[in-house]
Amino acid sequence: HRKQRDLVRTWRGRFLKVHTASMLNSLTSLLTRDDVTDKLHTISVPTLIIHGDEDRAIHVKLGENLKSAMPNATFKRLSQAGHLVTLESPEYVNTYIRDFLTSANL
């Protein structure tokens, strides 16, 4: 996230240290995994989806699509957060999770 330069600097350094072949294997696994989109409607358990408005890796519309496809999903959109919402906005994420668990009696 542009406004959290220390966070970006810390995680950029960590990501740059990742073994390249391992990262490529992980990305290949993500890209070639089974598509379960047509089964999302069968997920009936309460589900929380938290998505950053500024996520450049996964567009926020895809998070909204998940919510639409899942009958018992709650969608929380975080402004001024990117792909790493738990690191960028931990206070909001923790509040969303706590409120979700409380309301779902989990």
Side-chain angles (χ1 to χ4, degrees):
H1 188 269
R2 303 172 267 235
K3 296 178 183 174
Q4 296 185 19
R5 299 211 184 275
D6 290 339
L7 180 67
V8 171
R9 190 173 15 263
T10 297
W11 282 93
R12 183 177 189 276
R14 290 179 183 180
F15 285 130
L16 289 173
K17 291 179 183 177
V18 173
H19 184 257
T20 303
S22 297
M23 180 57 76
L24 290 173
N25 286 337
S26 296
L27 292 172
T28 299
S29 295
L30 286 172
L31 292 171
T32 59
R33 66 184 173 209
D34 292 343
D35 183 359
V36 296
T37 305
D38 61 336
K39 296 177 180 145
L40 291 174
H41 71 279
T42 67
I43 299 173
S44 60
V45 295
T47 304
L48 175 62
I49 301 161
I50 303 173
H51 206 108
D53 270 349
E54 297 179 14
D55 189 335
R56 291 189 229 165
I58 301 172
H59 194 275
V60 70
K61 184 68 180 161
L62 294 175
E64 293 169 347
N65 291 347
L66 276 178
K67 194 270 184 247
S68 295
M70 300 168 73
N72 205 8
T74 299
F75 183 79
K76 294 292 185 180
R77 189 173 181 158
L78 267 171
S79 62
Q80 299 182 354
H83 191 66
L84 302 174
V85 293
T86 56
L87 298 174
E88 297 173 58
S89 300
E91 63 285 348
Y92 289 108
V93 171
N94 288 337
T95 298
Y96 290 156
I97 292 170
R98 184 179 54 248
D99 292 350
F100 173 77
L101 293 174
T102 300
S103 69
N105 293 318
L106 299 175

